[in-house]
């Protein structure tokens, strides 16, 4: 509805006799060093302030110049090392659908920067910059925000996040070491925490992420032990989890639950030495039903009797990608060799290292 209204306004403006496309932007000399451009066919009105030498040079065009059209499409600030802050009221009453800040020295933005766009903003990108602070508390007010991309910054904390609209969050390559349970992101599809020193995911963290499809935490700090219910997913559409390069050597029982038959699970480049049945079988029971799989390439897995329960089950073996410490691919292991492994009950509780469930035969 809002998009249709904006287009109608553009149509009316362009239909007024004696006017040109410039009616949507102020006189170009009044907003320098910012520039304004529009395309009625694409229905876009964009403002680029990449040449600004200070925050004041962004503040002035939006607050001291009359704009004939206030519902703009995109704000851009790119490859700029002179602007360090987007201060209070920097955009005046001008609103945007997209805000794109990239390769800058911006360290913070005041929450009022986003308020004029609270009903229209769908994409907020501040990447490859120096962002140390972000007004997380304003997220519930940004009712149409779908995409939040803050990758490659200097953020160190991540409080409880709440948003009924967000579908994509990318905070990769920051300095976040801790996350709290209680997030409310019912429409979130992708959460990317890659390359943050996150050492623990609290129980219940994913409770209100019922549409989550991907969780990415490559090169975090989840090891050496992944605790029970650390990764307890609640989404029937969950497709992908990446926890590679986390120095994980062992898992507690039920450390990862809620996988779906087509989920792709990557344990690549960790320190897992043994595929203990009591820990890994519940996951393979699900993944082997359809196209799901577990990737443990790059782990020092011993291909002795501890892996027999996988090798002797074709469905399990077809759902695990891995290489033994001697360089043998899992799919090249000879099941006949593993038939000689002991078949007695484990002598210690949860010790399946030399036991093969008779159901595998």
């Amino acid at each position: 509805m809002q998009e249709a209204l904006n287009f109608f306004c553009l149509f009316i403006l362009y239909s007024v006799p004696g006017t040109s496309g410039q009616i949507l932007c102020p006189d170009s000399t009044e907003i320098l060093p910012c520039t304004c451009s529009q395309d009625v066919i694409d229905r876009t009105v964009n403002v680029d302030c990449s040449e600004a030498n200070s925050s004041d040079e962004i503040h002035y065009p939006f607050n001291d110049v009359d704009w004939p059209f206030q519902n703009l499409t995109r704000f851009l600030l790119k490859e700029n090392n002179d602007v360090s802050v987007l201060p209070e009221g920097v955009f005046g009453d001008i609103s945007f659908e997209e805000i794109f800040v990239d390769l800058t020295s911006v360290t913070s933005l005041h929450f009022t920067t986003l308020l004029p766009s609270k009903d229209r903003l769908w994409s907020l990108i501040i990447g490859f910059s120096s962002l140390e602070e972000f007004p997380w508390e304003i997220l519930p007010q940004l009712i149409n925000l779908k995409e939040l991309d803050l990758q490659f910054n200097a953020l160190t904390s991540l409080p409880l996040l709440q948003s009924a609209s967000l579908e994509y969050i990318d905070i990769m390559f920051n300095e976040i070491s801790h996350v709290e349970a209680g997030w409310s992101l019912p429409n979130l599809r992708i959460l990317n925490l890659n390359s943050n020193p996150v050492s623990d995911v609290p129980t219940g963290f994913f409770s209100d992420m019922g549409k989550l499809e991907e969780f990415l935490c490559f090169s975090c700090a989840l090891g050496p032990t992944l605790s029970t219910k650390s990764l307890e997913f609640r989404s029937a559409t969950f497709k992908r989890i990446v926890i590679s390069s986390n120095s994980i050597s062992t898992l507690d029982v039920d450390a990862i639950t809620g996988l779906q038959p087509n989920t792709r699970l990557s344990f690549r480049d960790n320190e897992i030495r043994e595929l203990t049945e009591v820990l890994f079988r519940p996951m393979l029971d699900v993944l082997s039903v359809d196209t799901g799989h577990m990737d443990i390439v790059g782990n020092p897995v011993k291909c002795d009797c501890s892996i027999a329960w996988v090798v002797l089950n074709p469905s399990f073996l077809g759902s695990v990608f891995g290489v033994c410490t001697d360089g043998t691919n899992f799919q090249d292991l000879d099941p006949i060799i593993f038939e000689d492994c002991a078949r007695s009950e484990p002598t210690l509780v949860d010790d399946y290292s030399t036991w093969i469930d008779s159901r595998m035969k």
Side-chain angles (χ1 to χ4, degrees):
M1 182 64 182
Q2 183 66 49
E3 182 180 355
L5 180 60
N6 289 339
F7 177 67
F8 178 73
C9 293
L10 287 170
F11 176 79
I12 293 298
L13 286 168
Y14 272 90
S15 301
V16 175
T19 64
S20 67
Q22 282 299 110
I23 196 171
L24 300 180
C25 294
D27 186 288
S28 60
T29 61
E30 294 183 354
I31 62 173
L32 289 174
C34 297
T35 61
C36 177
S37 61
Q38 69 278 327
D39 187 326
V40 70
I41 296 177
D42 292 336
R43 293 181 283 175
T44 59
V45 184
N46 301 328
V47 178
D48 189 334
C49 292
S50 298
E51 299 301 318
N53 294 309
S54 67
S55 299
D56 289 340
E57 290 190 347
I58 299 177
H59 186 278
Y60 174 81
F62 292 110
N63 287 272
D64 297 302
V65 175
D66 290 330
W67 287 75
F69 189 67
Q70 294 188 324
N71 293 333
L72 310 186
T73 305
R74 198 180 203 201
F75 170 80
L76 300 97
L77 181 67
K78 302 183 298 181
E79 299 181 18
N80 182 298
N81 291 319
D82 297 316
V83 177
S84 60
V85 176
L86 294 178
E88 182 175 359
V90 67
F91 294 140
D93 294 326
I94 303 299
S95 70
F96 297 96
E97 294 179 5
E98 306 172 49
I99 294 176
F100 182 80
V101 178
D102 187 57
L103 294 169
T104 73
S105 296
V106 171
T107 60
S108 66
L109 71 159
H110 196 270
F111 75 93
T112 56
T113 301
L114 305 175
L115 278 181
S117 304
K118 65 184 180 65
D119 297 329
R120 301 183 63 241
L121 187 68
W122 71 267
S123 175
L124 175 56
I125 299 175
I126 305 176
F128 294 88
S129 296
S130 302
L131 198 64
E132 299 174 353
E133 301 176 3
F134 183 83
W136 306 103
E137 69 279 2
I138 199 175
L139 288 181
Q141 298 183 56
L142 305 178
I143 59 175
N144 282 309
L145 187 64
K146 306 293 185 186
E147 175 185 27
L148 178 62
D149 187 340
L150 305 176
Q151 61 177 290
F152 286 90
N153 278 290
L155 296 168
T156 58
S157 62
L158 197 57
L160 299 182
L161 300 190
Q162 296 185 352
S163 171
S165 60
L166 268 174
E167 297 180 2
Y168 174 88
I169 297 178
D170 188 343
I171 320 179
M172 66 184 293
F173 283 93
N174 277 273
E175 297 298 328
I176 296 166
S177 60
H178 177 71
V179 294
E180 299 180 24
W183 287 23
S184 179
L185 301 166
N187 286 298
L188 190 68
R189 295 186 301 106
I190 299 175
L191 176 59
N192 188 345
L193 297 178
N194 283 344
S195 295
N196 280 279
V198 177
S199 59
D200 178 62
V201 179
T203 301
F205 179 74
F206 299 99
S207 294
D208 197 8
M209 299 185 198
K211 294 184 179 179
L212 191 66
E213 296 178 6
E214 298 187 17
F215 173 65
L216 312 176
C217 204
F218 166 85
S219 193
C220 293
L222 298 177
T225 301
L226 204 58
S227 303
T228 297
K229 295 186 177 180
S230 287
L231 305 180
E232 188 179 22
F233 301 105
R234 303 292 182 87
S235 171
T237 58
F238 193 64
K239 298 177 181 178
R240 185 179 179 219
I241 171 175
V242 176
I243 49 176
S244 307
S245 300
N246 271 273
S247 299
I248 297 171
S249 58
T250 187
L251 287 69
D252 287 340
V253 175
D254 291 333
I256 303 176
T257 60
L259 301 180
Q260 300 299 311
N262 64 345
T263 300
R264 294 167 292 160
L265 168 57
S266 177
F267 278 112
R268 272 182 173 255
D269 300 318
N270 279 292
E271 300 297 329
I272 298 169
R273 297 180 178 277
E274 184 173 308
L275 294 186
T276 309
E277 183 172 6
V278 71
L279 303 178
F280 289 93
R281 179 167 180 164
M283 291 182 276
L284 283 178
D285 277 336
V286 176
L287 300 179
S288 62
V289 171
D290 204 337
T291 59
H293 65 255
M294 180 188 302
D295 186 346
I296 58 171
V297 172
N299 284 267
V301 177
K302 298 183 297 181
C303 290
D304 54 15
C305 283
S306 64
I307 201 176
W309 67 275
V310 175
V311 179
L312 295 176
N313 185 315
S315 294
F316 289 172
L317 187 59
S319 300
V320 181
F321 304 151
V323 178
C324 307
T325 52
D326 65 0
T328 304
N329 191 294
F330 281 12
Q331 274 65 41
D332 294 330
L333 294 171
D334 186 354
I336 295 177
I337 296 176
F338 290 85
E339 290 179 351
D340 293 331
C341 290
R343 294 184 176 82
S344 59
E345 292 290 333
T347 56
L348 299 176
V349 175
D350 293 340
D351 178 12
Y352 289 80
S353 60
T354 60
W355 177 64
I356 301 176
D357 189 332
S358 61
R359 290 171 293 180
M360 296 294 99
K361 295 298 292 174

